[in-house]
Amino acid sequence: MCNYTWKVGRRRSGNAPILVDDTANIENACGSIILGKTFDNGMICASEQSVVALTSVYDELKSRMVKRGVYFLEGEEREKLAAFIEVDGRINPAIVGQTPKEIAHRANLSPIPENTVVLATEETVIGNDNPLSKEKLSPVLALYRASDFEDGVQLCRKLALTGGIGHTAGLYTSDLNTQEAKRREEAFLKEVPVHRILVNAPTSIAAIGGAMNFHVDPSFTLGVGTNAGSSISSNVGPKHLINLTTVAERQQHIEWLKIPRELYFNRGCLEEVLQGSSLNGLNRALVVTDKGIVRSGILERVLKCLKDSRMEVEVFSDVHPDPDMECIRNGVEVCKSFQPDVMICLGGGSPMDAGKFIRAHYEHPTLTLEDASTRFIEIRKRTCPFPKAGSKIKSLIAIPTTSGTGSEVSPFTVVTADDGHKYPIASYRLTPDIAIVDSTLCDSLPKSLVAYPGLDSITHAIESFVSVAQNDFTKPQSLEALHLLFKYLPESYMIGSPRARGACHRASSLAGISFSNSFLGICHSLSHQVGGKFHVPHGLACAILLPHVIEYNACESPTKMGIYPSYHYPQAASRYSEIAKHLGAPTHDADGLNKRIKELMVKLETPLSFQEAGVDEVEFINKLDLLSKDAFDDQCTAANPRFPLVSELKDILLKAYYGGEERKGSATKEE
Ligand SMILES: [Fe+2]
């Protein structure tokens, strides 16, 4: 199968070039070319139009042609024929399918020999200025000389581009099935832009199938492909002419709950796990972390466990917030020299995000960010498969030290390319093998690292609960995460009690499991944009947007509904009601839920609007169109229960900026 595209040239039905190389049987080639050219007096669109012969066989071929009745016109006679072939740039109907004798008569040529079967000319010029280099649909043939095989291929390419794109070409080469013959066929295939290549066969007969090969369907209607204006590139057969009706019942995709194969939780479990059986058979541990974790003393705790387990240990602590490709490459270099069999990602979201892609890139060096982040509607049906993990690093252990991202259980990572573009990547092959959810690692977290990650978790739980992909296995996790977070997040923030920190830590993983398997929505789509362009912390951006997204989604008759096989009608409003009831909200509806969220935000001393969060009004308004458009394109938008219009996203952003329905400011977009 040839798999490249051609520039669309001047469209015409066909202009088959024929290459005769220096390994071909010249007697057979001559016979075959004349057979093809004389069939139906050259009427077939696939018939031979020009022959390109390598110089080493040129004279022999020409001499055999002459003996077989090919009459070469020269000088003034050639000029007369060339002038007669076209009328206003099109083939002159007076030559189509006529005998050489009749053509000679009509073109006012001098009498030609009685036994002439084909009229021929020797040519050097290819292009629209030379009618003899184009399709002639008559027993008229042009002969070109090529210096070697590569030159011959290029001449044929040029001839095909002169009105023969997508049609037919012929190659006469060794019929001994040699490696060299195969190489030449490949070279011809790669360069000559046609959809039928006939080897050692008359093109007019072989291209219409059946008689000279087993690979071309018999047909008189030959598709020339989309580059030449045809919907198909093969010969038209019955299958192209039969109208079929497909009956397809609505079916649900296969779904699953994919999580780490082991998940450990409760206070102090870190030591038990790292000194227990989870590391059996593993000897070399690479810890991926950041400088903050090194300074906090948490790294020491982990290193002690690993040393007690007699592990060889290396530490890569150069992960920065929003890990980029330089970080990934550095991490891969450490992997290459240390050759770990287990990777331990220790920290907030960034070390876990970095570790996931370092492992993938180390094990599959040709994996590109573009391929890894290929967009899809359904994560379970990626068009660009993500490579398997574990060929070198047998186990990836994620140990979160904050309670928010859920990355320790998720199939997601975000990596920034060298040009600054952020690539969100999703594949269950990125999911950690083991998660250790030990809240003692969060005991000393400052308040600033409690509120926003906690609000991020709440958003994960709510968005995954109303997602079009919500299912029986994720629903309970969302509800329990919300129960724990609404109950304990204020205590975790204000007092930092172990029980509250523990509850929020577990809730973060529960919400992570839920959104890893039923996904998020436009609150995250919008938050990604505002966070990226105005450096608003992710959890804060989510929290500010969340009430407005809830208000927007809780609509019984949305402009457009989210699309998913198991999502049959708008259900967001009833699902918000279910959450509100679960949380004991004052009213069991979206309003009640929003009241609970705003109460929580007040307790957490969180700004309620982007304006309050210090985002510049003029800059925000100026970027509003871009924010809305990019949010629409965000991967999270697909799972939202209401499929948004860009204008609706814009409205939500405005409400989130000013904190309500009414626009309080006076800024307008600067042109
Ligand atoms: Fe999030």
Side-chain angles (χ1 to χ4, degrees), residues 97 115 303 325 333 535 549 559 564:
N115 68 342
L303 293 181
M325 275 310 288
E333 286 307 312
H535 307 293
V549 169
T559 319
Y564 202 70

Side-chain angles (χ1 to χ4, degrees), residues 404-406 453 455-457 459-460 463 515 520 524 527-528 538-539 542:
T405 69
L455 290 165
D456 185 23
S457 282
T459 312
H460 293 160
E463 289 220 282
F515 88 78
L520 296 167
H524 268 76
S527 164
H528 291 155
H538 173 66
C542 284

Side-chain angles (χ1 to χ4, degrees), residues 123-146:
E123 299 297 322
T124 56
V125 176
I126 298 172
N128 285 325
D129 294 340
N130 181 7
L132 287 162
S133 71
K134 299 196 288 187
E135 184 180 40
K136 299 170 275 287
L137 291 182
S138 58
V140 176
L141 197 61
L143 183 61
Y144 289 85
R145 185 189 293 268

Side-chain angles (χ1 to χ4, degrees), residues 360-623:
H361 210 50
Y362 169 52
E363 295 184 342
H364 305 280
T366 56
L367 178 67
T368 64
L369 271 181
E370 289 78 5
D371 282 349
S373 61
T374 303
R375 298 283 300 274
F376 47 78
I377 293 176
E378 161 61 75
I379 188 175
R380 299 173 178 96
K381 295 176 183 248
R382 287 180 62 109
T383 50
C384 183
F386 199 90
K388 280 186 181 171
S391 61
K392 293 175 181 169
I393 296 175
K394 304 299 176 197
S395 187
L396 190 149
I397 301 176
I399 308 175
T401 58
T402 57
S403 310
T405 69
S407 185
E408 69 278 7
V409 294
S410 86
F412 308 119
T413 184
V414 180
V415 178
T416 304
D418 292 329
D419 63 2
H421 184 79
K422 278 190 178 182
Y423 285 89
I425 304 166
S427 167
Y428 288 101
R429 288 177 170 162
L430 290 168
T431 304
D433 301 289
I434 297 174
I436 303 176
V437 185
D438 181 346
S439 63
T440 58
L441 301 173
C442 306
D443 280 348
S444 56
L445 278 178
K447 286 170 87 176
S448 60
L449 289 180
V450 171
Y452 298 159
L455 290 165
D456 185 23
S457 282
I458 285 176
T459 312
H460 293 160
I462 292 178
E463 289 220 282
S464 56
F465 192 81
V466 299
S467 151
V468 293
Q470 186 229 58
N471 61 62
D472 294 343
F473 291 86
T474 60
K475 191 175 162 181
Q477 330 260 10
S478 297
L479 288 178
E480 184 56 16
L482 289 168
H483 165 71
L484 291 172
L485 287 162
F486 273 85
K487 185 171 179 183
Y488 288 107
L489 188 53
E491 183 178 318
S492 177
Y493 176 73
M494 298 302 295
I495 305 170
S497 67
R499 70 165 187 174
R501 290 278 161 102
C504 293
H505 209 41
R506 295 194 302 279
S508 168
S509 293
L510 278 172
I513 289 170
S514 188
F515 88 78
S516 296
N517 292 277
S518 54
F519 320 119
L520 296 167
I522 59 170
C523 189
H524 268 76
S525 306
L526 293 161
S527 164
H528 291 155
Q529 310 316 318
V530 178
K533 293 180 176 72
F534 295 96
H535 307 293
V536 178
H538 173 66
L540 172 59
C542 284
I544 289 173
L545 286 156
L546 188 58
H548 307 289
V549 169
I550 289 173
E551 184 190 4
Y552 167 77
N553 279 341
C555 174
E556 302 288 0
S557 54
T559 319
K560 292 176 190 291
M561 195 178 91
I563 303 164
Y564 202 70
S566 57
Y567 195 68
H568 292 269
Y569 57 89
Q571 295 174 48
S574 64
R575 288 180 181 175
Y576 289 133
S577 300
E578 201 175 339
I579 296 174
K581 187 178 176 186
H582 184 73
L583 296 177
T587 55
H588 296 169
D589 54 18
D591 285 345
L593 174 58
N594 272 342
K595 282 198 180 81
R596 289 300 317 269
I597 293 168
K598 285 182 181 170
E599 283 167 16
L600 183 64
M601 289 172 74
V602 171
K603 284 181 191 168
L604 299 178
E605 302 168 296
T606 305
L608 297 175
S609 68
F610 289 126
Q611 192 172 43
E612 207 180 317
V615 174
D616 182 79
E617 184 178 16
V618 173
E619 204 181 335
F620 190 84
I621 298 299
N622 282 342
K623 288 189 174 159

Side-chain angles (χ1 to χ4, degrees), residues 250-268:
R250 181 170 181 149
Q251 291 174 308
Q252 294 189 14
H253 295 296
I254 180 174
E255 295 189 50
W256 56 55
L257 187 78
K258 289 205 176 183
I259 59 175
R261 68 167 189 268
E262 299 170 29
L263 188 151
Y264 300 96
F265 58 95
N266 277 345
R267 296 177 63 75

